[in-house]
Amino acid sequence: KILYLLSRIDLDELMKKDEPPFTFPKTLEEFEYAFNEYGQLRHIKTGEPFVFNAREDLHRWNQKRYEALGEIITQYVYELLEKKCNMTKAILPVDASEDEPTTFIYLSPDALSNPSKLLVLIQGSGVVRAGQWARRLIINQDLDSGTQIPFITRAMEEGYGVLVLNPNENYLEVEKPAKSSPLPSPPEPSDEPAEKRERKDDKEGKKKREFYEKYRNPQKETETERIPIRENGSSEEHVLYVWDHFVSKAAAKNVFIVAHSYGGLSFVELMNQREMQVKNRVCAVALTDSAHNIWLQETSKGTQDWMQQHCCNWVSSPEPLDTPLDPMLPDCPRVSAGTERHELTSWLSFNSIFRFFSEVLEVKEDEEMEETSNIVTTRSSSLKSKHQDL
């Protein structure tokens, strides 16, 4: 049957569609792409945006090429965090031994020492790493919409310390050692001389192997195994770890959080684990198209009430930006992000989020001033009555 199929296949046509090797450039320059003055990725020679289908009918190869470019983008964003935003890496776990897998977060110079305000950024799930909201936006739109850099620079201008989390770097991927081939089963008895039979078997086996390797499985992908990073093996674990080892130790009186998509779920999980600490330290939380669910995550009534007062969720919606929407669950107010595209919700609610933080802080400071003046008034009146008694 295979021989019959082979005879019907135009091998020349198949050869044209033979999959090229998965070897891709290691730098943006080698890819012949660069970011222009508007932060858009453009081809160096043609000025065209990135083209996914570089080779027709080779979806797997195009996808691998896109992923290779994505890895370069990740390193490019790290460079921007360090050079443009003057941030530094902190290695996790903080007590890591030399031979265990590690991850890292980024901190502004005053992240732990700023006495007033600290902004914590938590991205969604997937391939994105520290400093990114959406890889697709960085590649197809621009750096402003796809990275967290506008949030970082605006926060620094407004006097915040900044912590950039890295919740998707959960494991080290290593190549699996090659498995030893099982011993071949003994051949069936035959009338043919052994030497002739071996030559024939070799020839047929080689043909079959070549056919399958070339046309059924053009390139075998490397088999890998994942070694989890201690206490950072998931987004939820990572957020809790950073809270315990960094945020809770920071000097800032007021902590603010922006959490996108799955980052919102990880924040709610943090509240489940550290409810009183979060309530005492966090001033306001801006969620963008958050994936949290207070029923499935079994949040307490106290958490739900606190979220009503201190959180706001900008969700994908056809309504204009900041239009109040019906709350799905009794947790926090939902407003429109002014877009129906999930990955754009953080960028399009950017100005609204900083306005929300300023308003919440203003109310808090007014209340504190009122409390202070009440204490002073009470103290002076009690002193007065004491003197009158004398």
Side-chain angles (χ1 to χ4, degrees):
K1 208 168 183 180
I2 287 174
L3 290 171
Y4 170 72
L5 283 171
L6 268 171
S7 68
R8 301 293 303 273
I9 293 170
D10 184 343
L11 288 176
D12 286 335
E13 276 305 301
L14 267 176
M15 289 294 280
K16 282 177 195 170
K17 292 182 180 179
D18 197 9
E19 197 175 47
F22 293 154
T23 48
F24 301 104
K26 295 278 185 270
T27 65
L28 269 184
E29 293 73 28
E30 286 173 19
F31 252 106
E32 298 191 325
Y33 279 97
F35 286 99
N36 65 17
E37 59 187 303
Y38 307 108
Q40 301 162 322
L41 190 68
R42 292 291 181 264
H43 195 276
I44 292 167
K45 291 174 182 168
T46 65
E48 292 294 306
F50 177 75
V51 177
F52 178 84
N53 283 321
R55 306 242 179 148
E56 287 299 320
D57 302 328
L58 287 174
H59 180 80
R60 189 169 81 137
W61 187 87
N62 288 327
Q63 181 61 35
K64 292 284 175 194
R65 174 175 169 266
Y66 178 79
E67 287 167 12
L69 177 64
E71 289 305 311
I72 294 168
I73 298 291
T74 293
Q75 296 305 319
Y76 185 84
V77 173
Y78 290 159
E79 266 182 52
L80 289 177
L81 293 179
E82 290 167 21
K83 291 174 183 170
K84 185 181 174 182
C85 305
N86 194 26
M87 301 189 91
T88 52
K89 274 182 186 179
I91 303 297
L92 315 181
V94 291
D95 58 347
S97 63
E98 269 183 41
D99 55 354
E100 74 171 303
T102 58
T103 181
F104 54 86
I105 55 172
Y106 275 99
L107 299 86
S108 67
D110 65 339
L112 302 179
S113 60
N114 187 314
S116 175
K117 300 186 287 187
L118 173 66
L119 177 65
V120 179
L121 300 174
I122 312 173
Q123 65 202 166
S125 60
V127 293
V128 285
R129 295 293 182 264
Q132 301 178 49
W133 292 126
R135 180 187 280 183
R136 190 191 314 174
L137 291 176
I138 298 170
I139 292 174
N140 299 316
Q141 194 157 316
D142 56 27
L143 287 165
D144 276 356
S145 60
T147 74
Q148 298 174 343
I149 288 164
F151 282 81
I152 297 164
T153 49
R154 170 85 172 261
M156 287 175 169
E157 283 162 15
E158 294 192 10
Y160 291 78
V162 185
L163 256 181
V164 174
L165 272 60
N166 203 7
N168 301 316
E169 185 106 343
N170 309 127
Y171 51 82
L172 175 68
E173 202 151 358
V174 293
E175 210 172 306
K176 270 188 183 174
K179 285 180 187 169
S180 53
S181 313
L183 291 168
S185 50
E188 288 291 317
S190 160
D191 293 331
E192 278 184 319
E195 204 176 307
K196 190 180 174 186
R197 193 167 63 241
E198 277 168 22
R199 276 203 307 271
K200 192 179 167 188
D201 288 350
D202 278 354
K203 224 173 183 182
E204 278 181 15
K206 197 177 176 205
K207 264 187 189 170
K208 275 185 190 172
R209 246 191 343 269
E210 279 179 359
F211 174 78
Y212 276 99
E213 278 177 42
K214 202 158 200 175
Y215 304 117
R216 287 283 177 258
N217 183 15
Q219 291 172 79
K220 284 192 176 73
E221 293 183 48
T222 316
E223 279 195 37
T224 58
E225 60 182 333
R226 295 171 170 184
I227 304 168
I229 295 165
R230 176 165 55 90
E231 295 179 87
N232 287 270
S234 67
S235 174
E236 297 92 319
E237 270 191 19
H238 176 76
V239 171
L240 180 63
Y241 188 88
V242 174
W243 176 273
D244 286 345
H245 292 83
F246 294 89
V247 184
S248 68
K249 295 175 179 177
K253 192 177 171 189
N254 305 293
V255 175
F256 298 83
I257 296 171
V258 180
H260 174 61
S261 191
Y262 199 89
L265 183 148
S266 298
F267 165 72
V268 171
E269 192 52 41
L270 171 69
M271 279 217 75
N272 286 346
Q273 303 290 331
R274 301 284 185 271
E275 186 177 336
M276 289 321 295
Q277 286 186 35
V278 171
K279 286 179 177 178
N280 288 334
R281 296 294 304 278
V282 177
C283 191
V285 181
L287 303 170
T288 59
D289 232 358
S290 175
H292 75 276
N293 184 305
I294 56 166
W295 296 152
L296 294 175
Q297 293 184 260
E298 299 177 353
T299 57
S300 69
K301 176 76 167 65
T303 291
Q304 291 167 34
D305 292 345
W306 185 89
M307 286 179 72
Q308 275 283 358
Q309 300 299 316
H310 299 85
C311 300
C312 185
N313 190 8
W314 277 265
V315 301
S316 45
S317 160
E319 296 295 325
L321 178 66
D322 294 330
T323 305
L325 303 170
D326 287 338
M328 309 276 278
L329 293 169
D331 51 6
C332 62
R334 294 165 76 247
V335 297
S336 172
T339 179
E340 291 182 73
R341 288 175 61 191
H342 169 71
E343 68 272 21
L344 269 171
T345 49
S346 300
W347 173 234
L348 291 181
S349 49
F350 173 72
N351 287 314
S352 303
I353 287 170
F354 277 96
R355 191 163 52 245
F356 167 61
F357 287 166
S358 297
E359 286 166 3
V360 172
L361 186 58
E362 211 173 294
V363 169
K364 187 186 176 207
E365 285 173 344
D366 285 351
E367 284 172 357
E368 283 171 355
M369 274 177 72
E370 213 171 285
E371 275 176 31
T372 310
S373 64
N374 284 345
I375 290 164
V376 170
T377 313
T378 314
R379 196 180 291 148
S380 61
S381 61
S382 68
L383 279 170
K384 213 181 208 174
S385 60
K386 250 185 191 174
H387 286 297
Q388 280 171 351
D389 291 344
L390 289 168

